[in-house]
Amino acid sequence: MSDAQVSLFTRIINREIPADIVYEDDQCIVINDIAPQAPVHMLVIPRKPLAMLVDAGPEDKMVMGHLLWVAGEVARMRGVDEAFRLVINNGAGAGQTVFHLHLHVLGNTQFDETNLATF
Ligand code: 5GP
């Protein structure tokens, strides 16, 4: 893979770009979003650089489940496990800007239907 194809999040995983790391294990990393849309806004990112959710294959089912479990764990760590929201933007048309799959974990904010589209 050429440097140009290496995603921003892979560069963060490889410590080439600094980030505020909340959690890390053999399958994923969790960082605080650089431009938070809520008081708690973390990104759960698989080490495997799947560009979008739809790029996941049957062999990725285990890691996909792991990402959900980790989202709950870090929500608990940050004290927002009573109320948090998970968002995955799939494709530019849905607002995806970084093409390395990630789950947004949003908490400590007022949730209503009007802010669903802004994350
Ligand atoms: P997307 O729009 O692709 O669903 O979400 C990408 C997210 O990555 C955005 O919320 C954006 O603020 C965040 N982001 C972009 N660049 C960086 C960065 O360099 N560091 C961190 N921590 N987050 C970033």
Side-chain angles (χ1 to χ4, degrees):
M1 195 182 268
S2 76
D3 273 4
Q5 291 173 308
V6 174
S7 79
L8 169 67
F9 291 157
T10 292
R11 289 177 185 276
I12 287 175
I13 289 166
N14 293 340
R15 305 296 200 273
E16 294 165 18
I17 295 173
D20 190 4
I21 298 171
V22 175
Y23 171 92
E24 192 172 19
D25 64 26
D26 60 330
Q27 296 179 71
C28 71
I29 189 170
V30 183
I31 61 174
N32 284 322
D33 198 292
I34 204 166
Q37 303 297 308
V40 173
H41 187 172
M42 300 176 283
L43 303 172
V44 183
I45 306 164
R47 290 184 184 275
K48 182 172 178 176
L50 297 163
M52 298 193 284
L53 179 67
V54 291
D55 294 318
E59 69 279 12
D60 298 313
K61 286 181 185 175
M62 289 291 283
V63 71
M64 305 295 278
H66 183 73
L67 299 178
L68 279 182
W69 176 77
V70 167
E73 286 297 295
V74 294
R76 197 183 343 267
M77 279 169 57
R78 295 290 297 276
V80 298
D81 46 314
E82 286 291 319
F84 66 97
R85 179 172 284 168
L86 295 183
V87 174
I88 297 174
N89 294 321
N90 185 95
Q96 186 173 4
T97 57
V98 178
F99 286 84
H100 180 145
L101 175 64
H102 51 283
L103 283 63
H104 296 257
V105 182
L106 299 143
N108 259 0
T109 191
Q110 193 67 38
F111 293 114
D112 58 45
E113 288 176 13
T114 57
N115 67 10
L116 237 187
T118 61
F119 294 129

